[in-house]
Amino acid sequence: MKLFITGGAGFIGSNFIRQILAPGRPHTVVNYDKLTYAGNLANLESVAKDARYRFVKGDICDAHAAEAAMSGCDAVVHFAAESHVDRSIYEPAAAIQTNVTGTFVLLQIAKKLALSKFVHVSTDEVYGDMAPGAFADENAPIHPSSPYSASKASSDLLVRSYVRTYNFPGVIIRASNNYGPYQFPEKFLPLLISNLLVDKPLPIYGDGKQERDWLHVEDHCRGIMAVLERGRIGEVYNIGGTDIVENIAMAKALLKAMGKPETLLTYVKDRPGHDRRYALDCKKIAAELDWQPQITLADGLRQTVDWYKTNTAWVAGVRGGEYRSYYHKYYENRDASLQAIAPKSPSGV
Ligand code: NAD
Ligand code: TYD
């Protein structure tokens, strides 16, 4: 298959492209990416010269350019998005434009070009907060809490409507929190790891007891491949990890793994509308497509920490420029107001 991949220079997209271009695989790739702050061609150095790979710089909202690049492809795997909740809270317009309008533009083009499959990469965040002990299956109601998750939910609904109205070959994947190599350090785990590399404090939002379901990016990519090759048109597939962990427990696990003191834990002002818990029921993809996560959280964390320790040039590259001003804008003021709202944790930190 010739695949049209959007957002392939980002974290999950680049992991997917490296996986799908492993030796002996039959696919070829057009990677269509705008190269926003989150897009980084350094993520794809290992495949840049592969004859099966082509990069096209472009915006998914630009119908003309997207159609030219998509022509001749067989299927779409759509990763491109403004993917960070905090940025969507403080500057929501970009998330709405890319995630909603951009997806609409791609649906129109894929329909016109009669592509055989459109895999829409969505998120567990569309289900919103899960009650303690509850897990969202694919029929759970959509209850997004942030502009990011609302924009992703909107794009899911557009895909669904195209399937129903136009017999469009759409499939939706809703994955939990990914972690692993090449993740931009605005997200929790790479932010913590890259801060620890330079002994900076770890900002923990609110009481740190929010829970996330952690999925190694390579397990997610294997799931996307399974859905691309064997997933049923019109279906939704949840893809989750093996462990649901409180943020504070995750931060402490990283401190331990990196041999750093708990005095670096710093409680900061909470995210507005912060979801307490995400948890996915993934029985459907296990039963239908024989997919299970293969990487335990302990192994995945060890591998991820090693990757960030080893790839110092990559980390230095992404921590420069835009990231520095982002961090300054969203964290320096937050840090200053910390002590007033710091909760007492059982360990006294
Ligand atoms: P990312 O932010 O690392 O990468 C996004 C990529 O999209 C970047 O390369 C960026 O340049 C590109 N992009 C952004 N706007 C674009 C536009 N208008 N036109 C073309 N390209 C554009 O994101 P990620 O973490 O790799 O997430 C990929 C997808 O997976 C997203 O759709 C996200 O909603 C979804 N998802 C992410 C997670 C997670 O934990 N990171 C979990 C579940 C689902
Ligand atoms: P994030 O990686 O932004 O993913 P999401 O909010 O989409 O699940 O955040 C994961 C969790 O970590 C979430 O509960 C918010 C929390 N968090 C912090 O406590 N501190 C931080 O600096 C960041 C970025 C996130």
Side-chain angles (χ1 to χ4, degrees), residues 232-248:
R232 283 184 297 139
I233 303 286
E235 295 295 317
V236 177
Y237 293 93
N238 285 347
I239 303 187
T242 47
D243 297 81
I244 297 174
V245 183
E246 281 187 357
N247 292 339
I248 187 66

Side-chain angles (χ1 to χ4, degrees), residues 37 40 87 184-185 194 312-328:
Y37 74 92
N40 185 353
R87 286 188 198 247
F184 191 78
S194 55
T312 45
W314 186 93
V315 175
V318 297
R319 281 179 68 101
E322 200 275 350
Y323 182 73
R324 201 171 304 136
S325 53
Y326 165 81
Y327 201 91
H328 181 72

Side-chain angles (χ1 to χ4, degrees), residues 84-85 125 177 186-188 203 205 212 247 271 274 331:
H84 190 37
V85 173
E125 302 198 24
N177 283 65
E186 65 188 353
K187 305 279 169 44
F188 189 53
Y205 294 172
R212 294 293 184 266
N247 292 339
R271 170 189 285 173
H274 196 170
Y331 285 93

Side-chain angles (χ1 to χ4, degrees), residues 120 122-127 130 134-142 156 171-176 178 213 215 219-220 222-224 226-227 235-241 278-293:
H120 177 59
S122 189
T123 166
D124 62 353
E125 302 198 24
V126 300
Y127 298 122
M130 299 308 296
F135 291 80
D137 68 14
E138 290 81 355
N139 296 315
I142 302 289
D156 287 17
V171 194
I172 296 170
I173 291 172
R174 296 191 181 131
S176 61
N178 281 222
D213 170 341
L215 171 67
D219 277 333
H220 185 192
R222 271 189 285 276
I224 297 169
V227 170
E235 295 295 317
V236 177
Y237 293 93
N238 285 347
I239 303 187
Y278 297 141
L280 283 179
D281 175 330
C282 301
K283 290 192 201 76
K284 179 173 172 178
I285 190 167
E288 269 190 33
L289 305 180
D290 196 24
W291 176 92
Q292 301 271 4

Side-chain angles (χ1 to χ4, degrees), residues 65-278:
E67 181 172 341
M70 203 193 289
S71 291
C73 292
D74 302 302
V76 175
V77 186
H78 175 32
F79 295 96
E82 288 293 334
S83 68
H84 190 37
V85 173
D86 293 317
R87 286 188 198 247
S88 87
I89 290 171
Y90 300 108
E91 290 164 43
I96 307 307
Q97 173 70 3
T98 288
N99 303 357
V100 185
T101 306
T103 301
F104 164 67
V105 167
L106 294 176
L107 289 170
Q108 285 287 87
I109 299 167
K111 176 162 81 71
K112 180 175 165 191
L113 298 177
L115 267 58
S116 64
K117 206 159 195 178
F118 187 106
V119 178
H120 177 59
V121 181
S122 189
T123 166
D124 62 353
E125 302 198 24
V126 300
Y127 298 122
D129 254 338
M130 299 308 296
F135 291 80
D137 68 14
E138 290 81 355
N139 296 315
I142 302 289
H143 276 156
S145 308
S146 68
Y148 164 70
S149 53
S151 68
K152 293 297 290 187
S154 306
S155 62
D156 287 17
L157 295 178
L158 280 172
V159 174
R160 185 185 148 86
S161 78
Y162 272 58
V163 171
R164 174 81 187 250
T165 307
Y166 305 113
N167 206 16
F168 181 81
V171 194
I172 296 170
I173 291 172
R174 296 191 181 131
S176 61
N177 283 65
N178 281 222
Y179 70 97
Y182 298 97
Q183 188 169 27
F184 191 78
E186 65 188 353
K187 305 279 169 44
F188 189 53
L189 278 197
L191 186 142
L192 263 47
I193 295 170
S194 55
N195 275 16
L196 286 178
L197 288 174
V198 291
D199 293 317
K200 271 183 94 159
L202 305 186
I204 308 295
Y205 294 172
D207 64 5
K209 292 189 187 302
Q210 305 82 7
E211 295 173 36
R212 294 293 184 266
D213 170 341
W214 292 99
L215 171 67
H216 194 280
V217 65
E218 288 163 17
D219 277 333
H220 185 192
C221 292
R222 271 189 285 276
I224 297 169
M225 194 99 79
V227 170
L228 173 68
E229 291 176 346
R230 291 175 284 123
R232 283 184 297 139
I233 303 286
E235 295 295 317
V236 177
Y237 293 93
N238 285 347
I239 303 187
T242 47
D243 297 81
I244 297 174
V245 183
E246 281 187 357
N247 292 339
I248 187 66
M250 185 60 100
K252 287 181 180 175
L254 284 178
L255 286 165
K256 196 164 169 216
M258 296 180 70
K260 304 287 180 180
E262 290 202 1
T263 46
L264 287 172
L265 290 172
T266 317
Y267 288 93
V268 303
K269 195 164 159 222
D270 206 353
R271 170 189 285 173
H274 196 170
D275 283 330
R276 291 295 286 181
R277 177 169 190 270
Y278 297 141

